[in-house]
Amino acid sequence: MSWVITGGAGYIGAHVIRAMAAAGIPVVVLDDLSTGDPARLPQGVTLVAGSTLDRPLLDRVLAEHEVEGVLHIAAKKQVAESVEQPLRYYRENVEGLRVVLEAAAEAGVRRFLLSSSAAVYGMPDVETVTEDTPCAPINPYGETKLAGEWLVRATGRAHGMGTVALRYFNVAGAAAPELADPGVFNLVPMVFERLAAGQAPLVFGGDYPTADGTCVRDYIHVADVAAAHVAAVQRLREQPDSTELVLNIGRGVGVSVREMLDVIGRVTGLDATGEVVGRRPGDPARVVASAERIAAELGWTARYGVEEMITSAWAGWQLRHP
Ligand code: WQD
């Protein structure tokens, strides 16, 4: 029995595939290769190149393989782009998911896992964000993830599917250099890019109501994110009927931009002091997960810290930029 993994050739998807393979769970990858890269997949993994919007293709994949469950990771994930192209984000992230759910339900698939995001919380005004903190996304990207959670929950209830939604906080690092995130859209790669160009990293705002004035986030190693998926899959395998979970994937540890720069400076040996510039619109001062529910439900906790995230991300950066 296999698991279909949409978006399996992407940065996070490829890490999940690798962890699933290590756990001995067979997978089939569906990826439109818009940002995915087949070279990230281990030898022998079946890759179907195509879109989640392609219903006949999904029907074929679900008919050709004995499918135990679906891990839906495929999505567009750039906040700024989602503001400029909301219709595209709703099409890919909501309609794409709806089509996958419809095909899965009709094929009798009983287990479904959705990649969601801390973006569903918007600007949470709390020390630690629990899964019961009200969701109030502040951009189309976060809206599509929240709508996706609703779709998954409603479909699970109506069609007897066990469901899990995993809300990722700030993912960083790589399990191997060649699996590193090639995109330069988040703090760590953006700092690397500046350093590589001999420029000071930019700090978006130094006057936030935090200990050092810079924004605080919950950074989580992508290998830990992958391990959380395997734990969720194991739960869905054991208890397909009674599972309806929404879980944060975070460490429960807040790290400021300034603290991240300190570690980056130490790891790279470069001067990563940073130059404080204006705030970036839409940035909450602090977003830190409560990681208690996932520990209680799945027995999962993060293994890696910021040091390992940055060391591994830097190795990946150097591989790409020799
Ligand atoms: C982190 C912090 C920046 C770059 C986003 C999405 C979220 C999720 C993860 C997908 C912020 C600061 C950044 C730089 C800086 N995405 N920063 N200088 O905004 O917390 O979360 O990615 O699911 O939904 O919103 O992540 O990495 O962009 O920023 O000072 O050059 O680093 O202001 O405080 P963010 P990020």
Side-chain angles (χ1 to χ4, degrees), residues 194-210:
R194 299 276 303 182
L195 291 175
Q199 297 166 322
L202 300 179
V203 177
F204 299 148
D207 58 351
Y208 282 97
T210 58

mmCIF file of all heavy atoms in Angstrom, residues 194-210:
data_model
loop_
_atom_site.group_PDB
_atom_site.id
_atom_site.type_symbol
_atom_site.label_atom_id
_atom_site.label_comp_id
_atom_site.label_asym_id
_atom_site.label_seq_id
_atom_site.Cartn_x
_atom_site.Cartn_y
_atom_site.Cartn_z
ATOM 1 N N ARG A 194 22.917 37.999 0.740
ATOM 2 C CA ARG A 194 23.581 39.280 1.013
ATOM 3 C C ARG A 194 25.058 39.055 1.361
ATOM 4 O O ARG A 194 25.941 39.755 0.857
ATOM 5 C CB ARG A 194 22.886 40.009 2.172
ATOM 6 C CG ARG A 194 21.426 40.344 1.919
ATOM 7 C CD ARG A 194 21.202 41.622 1.151
ATOM 8 N NE ARG A 194 21.785 42.803 1.769
ATOM 9 C CZ ARG A 194 21.672 44.036 1.262
ATOM 10 N NH1 ARG A 194 20.995 44.227 0.140
ATOM 11 N NH2 ARG A 194 22.228 45.066 1.870
ATOM 12 N N LEU A 195 25.305 38.080 2.226
ATOM 13 C CA LEU A 195 26.684 37.826 2.644
ATOM 14 C C LEU A 195 27.546 37.436 1.452
ATOM 15 O O LEU A 195 28.673 37.911 1.301
ATOM 16 C CB LEU A 195 26.720 36.717 3.707
ATOM 17 C CG LEU A 195 26.125 37.078 5.069
ATOM 18 C CD1 LEU A 195 26.115 35.849 5.979
ATOM 19 C CD2 LEU A 195 26.882 38.223 5.729
ATOM 20 N N ALA A 196 26.974 36.582 0.574
ATOM 21 C CA ALA A 196 27.737 36.113 -0.581
ATOM 22 C C ALA A 196 28.082 37.275 -1.504
ATOM 23 O O ALA A 196 29.098 37.250 -2.197
ATOM 24 C CB ALA A 196 26.942 35.043 -1.330
ATOM 25 N N ALA A 197 27.216 38.306 -1.511
ATOM 26 C CA ALA A 197 27.464 39.468 -2.368
ATOM 27 C C ALA A 197 28.309 40.521 -1.644
ATOM 28 O O ALA A 197 28.493 41.630 -2.154
ATOM 29 C CB ALA A 197 26.129 40.063 -2.811
ATOM 30 N N GLY A 198 28.776 40.185 -0.448
ATOM 31 C CA GLY A 198 29.599 41.129 0.310
ATOM 32 C C GLY A 198 28.795 42.272 0.901
ATOM 33 O O GLY A 198 29.341 43.337 1.217
ATOM 34 N N GLN A 199 27.475 42.045 1.049
ATOM 35 C CA GLN A 199 26.619 43.103 1.599
ATOM 36 C C GLN A 199 26.170 42.738 3.011
ATOM 37 O O GLN A 199 26.097 41.550 3.354
ATOM 38 C CB GLN A 199 25.373 43.268 0.721
ATOM 39 C CG GLN A 199 25.685 43.705 -0.696
ATOM 40 C CD GLN A 199 24.483 43.525 -1.616
ATOM 41 O OE1 GLN A 199 23.737 42.556 -1.513
ATOM 42 N NE2 GLN A 199 24.306 44.473 -2.522
ATOM 43 N N ALA A 200 25.806 43.761 3.779
ATOM 44 C CA ALA A 200 25.286 43.492 5.126
ATOM 45 C C ALA A 200 23.879 42.923 5.012
ATOM 46 O O ALA A 200 23.065 43.422 4.230
ATOM 47 C CB ALA A 200 25.263 44.782 5.943
ATOM 48 N N PRO A 201 23.565 41.872 5.785
ATOM 49 C CA PRO A 201 22.193 41.361 5.803
ATOM 50 C C PRO A 201 21.235 42.444 6.285
ATOM 51 O O PRO A 201 21.625 43.316 7.062
ATOM 52 C CB PRO A 201 22.244 40.220 6.825
ATOM 53 C CG PRO A 201 23.672 39.892 7.007
ATOM 54 C CD PRO A 201 24.458 41.117 6.673
ATOM 55 N N LEU A 202 19.999 42.384 5.795
ATOM 56 C CA LEU A 202 19.008 43.376 6.192
ATOM 57 C C LEU A 202 18.168 42.851 7.350
ATOM 58 O O LEU A 202 17.743 41.694 7.348
ATOM 59 C CB LEU A 202 18.095 43.715 5.006
ATOM 60 C CG LEU A 202 18.808 44.300 3.782
ATOM 61 C CD1 LEU A 202 17.804 44.571 2.655
ATOM 62 C CD2 LEU A 202 19.568 45.581 4.154
ATOM 63 N N VAL A 203 17.928 43.713 8.316
ATOM 64 C CA VAL A 203 17.047 43.391 9.444
ATOM 65 C C VAL A 203 15.806 44.254 9.273
ATOM 66 O O VAL A 203 15.885 45.483 9.362
ATOM 67 C CB VAL A 203 17.738 43.702 10.792
ATOM 68 C CG1 VAL A 203 16.780 43.427 11.944
ATOM 69 C CG2 VAL A 203 19.021 42.901 10.939
ATOM 70 N N PHE A 204 14.676 43.586 9.018
ATOM 71 C CA PHE A 204 13.446 44.326 8.759
ATOM 72 C C PHE A 204 12.803 44.775 10.069
ATOM 73 O O PHE A 204 11.901 44.133 10.589
ATOM 74 C CB PHE A 204 12.466 43.473 7.947
ATOM 75 C CG PHE A 204 12.970 43.060 6.590
ATOM 76 C CD1 PHE A 204 12.577 41.847 6.025
ATOM 77 C CD2 PHE A 204 13.822 43.882 5.850
ATOM 78 C CE1 PHE A 204 13.019 41.459 4.760
ATOM 79 C CE2 PHE A 204 14.267 43.499 4.591
ATOM 80 C CZ PHE A 204 13.872 42.282 4.043
ATOM 81 N N GLY A 205 13.276 45.876 10.593
ATOM 82 C CA GLY A 205 12.673 46.447 11.796
ATOM 83 C C GLY A 205 13.455 46.123 13.048
ATOM 84 O O GLY A 205 13.738 44.962 13.328
ATOM 85 N N GLY A 206 13.822 47.174 13.782
ATOM 86 C CA GLY A 206 14.561 46.989 15.037
ATOM 87 C C GLY A 206 13.822 47.579 16.225
ATOM 88 O O GLY A 206 14.387 47.702 17.311
ATOM 89 N N ASP A 207 12.554 47.952 15.987
ATOM 90 C CA ASP A 207 11.801 48.624 17.058
ATOM 91 C C ASP A 207 10.535 47.855 17.444
ATOM 92 O O ASP A 207 9.536 48.442 17.841
ATOM 93 C CB ASP A 207 11.435 50.045 16.605
ATOM 94 C CG ASP A 207 10.611 50.048 15.324
ATOM 95 O OD1 ASP A 207 10.464 48.976 14.687
ATOM 96 O OD2 ASP A 207 10.113 51.124 14.950
ATOM 97 N N TYR A 208 10.601 46.539 17.291
ATOM 98 C CA TYR A 208 9.446 45.716 17.713
ATOM 99 C C TYR A 208 9.464 45.556 19.236
ATOM 100 O O TYR A 208 10.530 45.624 19.861
ATOM 101 C CB TYR A 208 9.515 44.331 17.040
ATOM 102 C CG TYR A 208 9.074 44.344 15.594
ATOM 103 C CD1 TYR A 208 10.004 44.435 14.564
ATOM 104 C CD2 TYR A 208 7.730 44.266 15.264
ATOM 105 C CE1 TYR A 208 9.595 44.447 13.231
ATOM 106 C CE2 TYR A 208 7.312 44.282 13.935
ATOM 107 C CZ TYR A 208 8.259 44.373 12.932
ATOM 108 O OH TYR A 208 7.850 44.383 11.627
ATOM 109 N N PRO A 209 8.303 45.307 19.830
ATOM 110 C CA PRO A 209 8.244 45.103 21.278
ATOM 111 C C PRO A 209 8.738 43.717 21.693
ATOM 112 O O PRO A 209 8.018 42.914 22.261
ATOM 113 C CB PRO A 209 6.746 45.278 21.584
ATOM 114 C CG PRO A 209 6.054 44.885 20.326
ATOM 115 C CD PRO A 209 6.964 45.281 19.198
ATOM 116 N N THR A 210 10.000 43.436 21.347
ATOM 117 C CA THR A 210 10.634 42.165 21.715
ATOM 118 C C THR A 210 11.920 42.504 22.468
ATOM 119 O O THR A 210 12.332 43.669 22.486
ATOM 120 C CB THR A 210 10.987 41.344 20.458
ATOM 121 O OG1 THR A 210 11.854 42.144 19.630
ATOM 122 C CG2 THR A 210 9.747 40.975 19.650
#
